[in-house]
Amino acid sequence: MNKEQIFTIFGGTGDLTFRKLLPALYNIEASDDKVFCPRVVVIGRRDYTSETYRTMAREWVEKFARLHFKEETYQKLAERILYYRMDFTDEKEYGGLDSFYKKMGAGNHIFYFAVAPRYFSTIVNGLKSVAGAEHGKVVLEKPFGEDLSSAAELNRTMESFFKPDHIYRIDHYLGKEMVRNIQIIRFANPIFSNVWDAEHIECIQISAMEEVGVETRGGYYDHSGALKDMVQNHLFQILTIVAMEQPGSLAVEDMHREQIKVLRALQVPEDISQSMVLGQYGGYREEPSVDRNSSTETYAALKLSVDNDRWRGMPFYVRTGKKLGRREMQVAVVFKSPAPGLESNILNIKIQPTEGVYLQFNIKKPGETEEIIQAKMDFCQSCSYVNRMNTPEAYERLLGACMRGERSWFSQWDQVETSWNYVDEVREKYREMGLPVHIYEQGSAGPEAADALLGRDGHSWFD
Ligand code: BG6
């Protein structure tokens, strides 16, 4: 008998489910390009019925879905959503879940672990009581572990139960439109690909600035910090796409092969005081569930060196922080100045909130003058309503890919392992040297020490 596919969310009453997963399922339901969206089982500890859950979920979907909300479309999705109440940290309760699935005729599973990684092993142990669970697929939210050793342990647990090619590690930045666009911009345009190296580029800056603070996630964030929360995963994914050699094809497997070579070529700096700055926003220690003496960083800036023929000697600067003056994610490529006194060409790939490409170059000032000024070409992709409506959001894209069995736009274990290794080492060096976590003002551009990091090389952040 052909068993029906079931999409189960552990952490069904959490923020991620309401803000991202349910709206993504709605968008999949509503879009023309249909993937098969199966029945959905949401698991939570709270005392809801499927009916009350659907009513509550409706509000979130209406608020956060990309596509226009239509009652009829939502109802089609809602009637396939079932709420199952259990304590997923109690392995004894999984026998009941097994019976529930049997009654539904389920057997073909996708499990989504939208919970903190410390619960992953418990859920895997519990699922041993669920018939056929080991043949299912599993989607794991980041962070994948808390450091290299816990990530490796987690990976062993996962691979001892699920087939390695059924494990989907989400890095939602890989689902963002302009992150996917980077390799096309690079390789489909000889005006860029022919000069994409240390000989022609002065520096590359990758920034992920956020206006929000830790909000309700203080408990998780205080054990994590910017290096683990953003740099180890999202920013290293982008860095490696920017720095990799041209893959043999556009297939993502080929891209991964090139990305991992970049990660392996990343040099751990001898003197970390010249290569990393950590900061914390003023008032962070008063946030709910944060230690009153916390030294967790909410800001990190790094100068990175990729030791290969293309990039040797050219700095990559990476920065990310919370409670900054603006929300902006971009990759700025600053080319070498063609002659003393002339401004650099700058290519800026804007990832969010605006999606687009900005290019700065030199022209003659109009009129009877030889003065040189900068022309600024600014292509805004997301300014078009049609583009916005046609661009799936990251989670929608990645959930659809998982349902279709496409693993390529997910993090691979060797990437996770190599980037943890790097981040663990630099953190340890920073700590050993007793370097400070600089306090910065909310709404500012981050600690001044991060400007000095570039200043020493004669550079400044491109804003
Ligand atoms: C998450 C981090 O992975 O990414 C959050 O845990 C961060 O701390 C978020 O705020 C940023 O995502 P986006 O899509 O808003 O850039």
Side-chain angles (χ1 to χ4, degrees):
M1 185 173 103
N2 222 351
K3 300 273 189 185
E4 195 186 339
Q5 195 173 43
I6 303 288
F7 183 78
T8 299
I9 305 174
F10 287 93
T13 53
D15 222 41
L16 178 75
T17 303
F18 287 134
R19 281 175 196 271
K20 301 285 187 189
L21 303 183
L22 292 171
L25 290 172
Y26 172 85
N27 291 336
I28 290 174
E29 183 71 31
S31 73
D32 298 333
D33 173 26
K34 266 232 180 323
V35 292
F36 176 65
C37 175
R39 280 207 273 173
V40 181
V41 173
V42 281
I43 293 182
R45 267 181 274 214
R46 295 192 201 154
D47 197 9
Y48 298 130
T49 62
S50 293
E51 214 35 64
T52 50
Y53 186 85
R54 289 170 191 155
T55 309
M56 195 172 51
R58 185 188 176 286
E59 279 175 39
W60 292 84
V61 168
E62 193 169 1
K63 193 160 167 200
F64 289 108
R66 168 179 67 93
L67 296 171
H68 183 65
F69 184 83
K70 285 195 194 137
E71 192 60 46
E72 192 193 334
T73 312
Y74 178 68
Q75 288 310 330
K76 269 204 244 156
L77 170 68
E79 65 196 26
R80 300 202 308 280
I81 298 179
L82 297 172
Y83 183 77
Y84 184 77
R85 180 171 171 243
M86 71 178 269
D87 177 0
F88 63 77
T89 63
D90 182 353
E91 289 173 23
K92 293 193 289 300
E93 294 204 12
Y94 285 75
L97 181 62
D98 181 48
S99 312
F100 180 73
Y101 283 141
K102 281 189 177 130
K103 269 194 232 135
M104 292 173 73
N108 187 358
H109 290 283
I110 301 178
F111 300 106
Y112 197 113
F113 290 9
V115 297
R118 63 179 180 280
Y119 299 122
F120 288 4
S121 310
T122 316
I123 300 178
V124 168
N125 282 333
L127 287 177
K128 289 179 183 157
S129 316
V130 171
E134 70 279 18
H135 303 302
K137 297 179 203 166
V138 62
V139 189
L140 303 170
E141 253 308 314
K142 66 155 273 282
F144 193 76
E146 284 166 8
D147 53 20
L148 178 60
S149 66
S150 63
E153 177 63 38
L154 193 56
N155 201 49
R156 275 192 292 277
T157 308
M158 287 297 153
E159 292 196 352
S160 68
F161 187 69
F162 293 105
K163 293 194 192 108
D165 63 354
H166 281 185
I167 301 174
Y168 293 72
R169 297 173 199 85
I170 283 247
D171 185 317
H172 76 283
Y173 270 54
L174 289 177
K176 289 189 189 280
E177 179 65 22
M178 289 306 288
V179 173
R180 291 186 160 208
N181 209 338
I182 295 173
Q183 59 166 337
I184 306 298
I185 294 170
R186 272 192 64 184
F187 297 118
N189 296 297
I191 58 163
F192 301 132
S193 57
N194 288 340
V195 289
W196 205 263
D197 52 35
E199 195 189 332
H200 299 94
I201 298 177
E202 183 69 33
C203 67
I204 296 184
Q205 306 180 4
I206 302 175
S207 304
M209 329 273 278
E210 295 190 273
E211 276 176 328
V212 290
V214 293
E215 317 269 280
T216 54
R217 299 162 72 226
Y220 147 74
Y221 194 88
D222 207 33
H223 289 102
S224 178
L227 280 173
K228 296 180 180 189
D229 186 56
M230 290 291 289
V231 177
Q232 180 267 341
N233 34 67
H234 305 325
L235 297 191
F236 276 8
Q237 284 288 355
I238 294 173
L239 169 82
T240 51
I241 297 173
V242 169
M244 70 186 177
E245 295 303 308
Q246 180 157 11
S249 75
L250 281 181
V252 190
E253 293 73 12
D254 285 337
M255 187 175 104
H256 282 311
R257 254 191 294 283
E258 294 307 330
Q259 282 183 286
I260 188 76
K261 288 185 200 158
V262 176
L263 279 179
R264 291 192 176 128
L266 271 183
Q267 294 296 292
V268 175
E270 286 287 311
D271 180 359
I272 196 75
S273 69
Q274 302 298 306
S275 303
M276 186 159 97
V277 169
L278 300 182
Q280 186 187 79
Y281 63 80
Y284 168 74
R285 294 174 193 170
E286 280 77 59
E287 297 276 22
S289 310
V290 166
D291 186 336
R292 297 292 165 251
N293 299 311
S294 175
S295 59
T296 299
E297 79 284 358
T298 59
Y299 179 99
L302 291 97
K303 174 183 171 184
L304 300 166
S305 319
V306 178
D307 187 27
N308 64 20
D309 289 346
R310 184 180 291 274
W311 297 117
R312 196 162 296 120
M314 192 217 78
F316 287 85
Y317 302 108
V318 162
R319 66 175 162 167
T320 182
K322 294 203 180 284
K323 284 272 184 199
L324 298 174
R326 62 182 196 284
R327 175 171 185 246
E328 196 166 77
M329 162 95 225
Q330 63 185 26
V331 177
V333 181
V334 182
F335 290 90
K336 285 192 172 155
S337 162
L342 276 188
E343 292 287 328
S344 298
N345 292 157
I346 296 175
L347 169 72
N348 187 19
I349 303 174
K350 299 183 192 179
I351 293 172
Q352 68 184 26
T354 306
E355 295 174 352
V357 179
Y358 163 96
L359 184 63
Q360 179 179 297
F361 54 98
N362 295 312
I363 56 163
K364 188 182 97 52
K365 187 174 177 183
E368 290 311 309
T369 169
E370 292 308 311
E371 195 185 331
I372 295 176
I373 54 168
Q374 283 74 56
K376 297 171 181 187
M377 294 205 308
D378 211 351
F379 163 64
C380 175
Q381 180 158 284
S382 55
C383 289
S384 137
Y385 174 79
V386 175
N387 285 345
R388 273 202 313 279
M389 283 301 112
N390 287 339
T391 306
E393 276 161 9
Y395 275 94
E396 175 185 343
R397 213 167 219 163
L398 295 174
L399 288 188
C402 172
M403 288 170 194
R404 284 192 296 264
E406 294 168 8
R407 285 181 71 246
S408 37
W409 285 93
F410 291 82
S411 303
Q412 307 300 303
W413 167 242
D414 53 2
Q415 292 179 315
V416 176
E417 184 182 34
T418 317
S419 47
W420 266 131
N421 203 4
Y422 188 89
V423 164
D424 280 359
E425 265 194 68
V426 292
R427 277 178 71 84
E428 189 51 24
K429 280 192 159 214
Y430 200 85
R431 201 191 53 78
E432 270 173 8
M433 279 189 79
L435 294 167
V437 175
H438 302 264
I439 303 295
Y440 61 93
E441 231 179 276
Q442 294 191 14
S444 70
E448 281 169 12
D451 302 340
L453 188 72
L454 277 69
R456 282 193 287 271
D457 301 334
H459 299 144
S460 54
W461 293 111
F462 173 76
D463 287 317

